[in-house]
Amino acid sequence: MRGSLLRKSRAVLVGSAMTLSAVALSTAPASAWSGGNVWVNFGSWNCPGGGSVVGVYWGVDSYSSGPAEGDWGDNVIYPRVRVGSGSFNTLSYQTMCKKWGWYTYRGVVSQRTLTPYKSGLSYTY
């Protein structure tokens, strides 16, 4: 009787182990993204009062952000983002606009979704 119980216990353990290994092998990762960078260009239409973009305050979810004082000098940023399969990024930004050679004002505050498949891509907003 004791040998029979031991054989049944072993059979159950072996069956459970086989089931667990089959489940583990069939489960694929939910996402396979990695870190990378993309170019984002901001057009003058982001300046509702006219002029052109000369700076940007930006952040990508809680993944990356620009300098606290803003990214100044042009209308282009190069943020760190998630790239590849399963990548999803929300870029939040505010443009700084220059008009009449000296007048600078805050432009559009907005958000865009980025789902790049590789690093180095270029977006225009």
Side-chain angles (χ1 to χ4, degrees):
M1 175 110 149
R2 184 176 175 163
S4 157
L5 184 59
L6 188 58
R7 271 192 301 255
K8 287 180 184 177
S9 298
R10 282 186 193 154
V12 168
L13 285 174
V14 168
S16 297
M18 289 172 52
T19 303
L20 285 174
S21 63
V23 168
L25 289 174
S26 67
T27 305
S31 65
W33 61 266
S34 62
N37 294 77
V38 295
W39 296 99
V40 181
N41 306 289
F42 296 94
S44 59
W45 53 87
N46 288 290
C47 297
S52 59
V53 177
V54 294
V56 182
Y57 292 97
W58 62 270
V60 177
D61 305 315
S62 60
Y63 189 65
S64 69
S65 64
E69 65 277 1
D71 186 329
W72 289 85
D74 59 17
N75 65 330
V76 180
I77 60 173
Y78 191 60
R80 181 126 178 103
V81 296
R82 299 171 195 90
V83 297
S85 177
S87 67
F88 183 81
N89 304 278
T90 301
L91 172 65
S92 302
Y93 62 90
Q94 179 176 29
T95 58
M96 296 302 292
C97 302
K98 189 171 194 174
K99 186 176 179 179
W100 302 312
W102 57 272
Y103 177 66
T104 303
Y105 67 97
R106 292 181 182 270
V108 175
V109 175
S110 192
Q111 288 185 330
R112 299 290 180 153
T113 299
L114 302 171
T115 55
Y117 61 91
K118 67 177 185 173
S119 191
L121 295 177
S122 181
Y123 295 87
T124 300
Y125 299 125

